[in-house]
Amino acid sequence: MTAHQTTALVDDTTSSVTRTVRVDAPPARVFEVLTREDLVARWFGQRASLPDLRVGGTGTLGWDGEHDVPLRIEAYDPPRRFAFAWPGCGGDLDPASELTATFTLVPDGTGTLLTVVETGFDRLGDERLRQLADHRDGWTAELDELVALVAGGVAV
């Protein structure tokens, strides 16, 4: 994998989506952009509620014109790792069909290499291929928005 991928990649053998980007900010700042709900709502959807960032804590993400989706915190290790589970095909969290997005932050000079790996698509049956493609496109767009937000001097 290169240090910076222009688009997210689908790995069909592991049913996962991966993307690595370089963010021109230290890991602590990038971690805050990943986890502070007012900032999340500026790069990932339009609404975010993350009242409990402990492992097992819950929240929601929302996009205009769609219902908010629930999420559950799976990892919270500032400023190195953050992960959440969310519904693979909408609806409620269900271990039989939830996806997990894991963000890993690695210092890179004055910046951060941010990698997202989303797994669980193998649980989605007939929806697997469509969801892999949708989430590949989603992580491409959303991480571009995160990089642009930080580059624009977002106050954190």
Side-chain angles (χ1 to χ4, degrees), residues 101-117:
T102 302
F103 300 88
T104 305
L105 297 83
V106 176
D108 182 48
T110 59
T112 303
L113 288 179
L114 172 64
T115 299
V116 62
V117 178

Side-chain angles (χ1 to χ4, degrees), residues 74-156:
E74 297 291 306
Y76 187 80
D77 182 18
R80 293 176 288 279
R81 190 166 174 259
F82 175 64
F84 63 83
W86 61 336
C89 295
D92 296 323
L93 283 170
D94 178 352
S97 61
E98 67 192 23
L99 304 175
T100 300
T102 302
F103 300 88
T104 305
L105 297 83
V106 176
D108 182 48
T110 59
T112 303
L113 288 179
L114 172 64
T115 299
V116 62
V117 178
E118 189 173 23
T119 59
F121 294 94
D122 54 322
R123 300 180 187 130
L124 302 183
D126 292 344
E127 280 292 302
R128 179 181 160 277
L129 292 177
R130 186 177 73 76
Q131 292 295 327
L132 278 165
D134 286 352
H135 288 238
R136 178 197 61 222
D137 295 346
W139 288 120
T140 297
E142 303 293 8
L143 289 187
D144 284 352
E145 289 183 34
L146 182 147
V147 170
L149 179 65
V150 173
V154 62
V156 293

Side-chain angles (χ1 to χ4, degrees), residues 9-27:
L9 302 174
V10 169
D11 183 335
D12 200 45
T13 61
T14 61
S15 283
S16 63
V17 175
T18 302
R19 184 163 186 217
T20 298
V21 294
R22 186 176 190 284
V23 185
D24 290 324

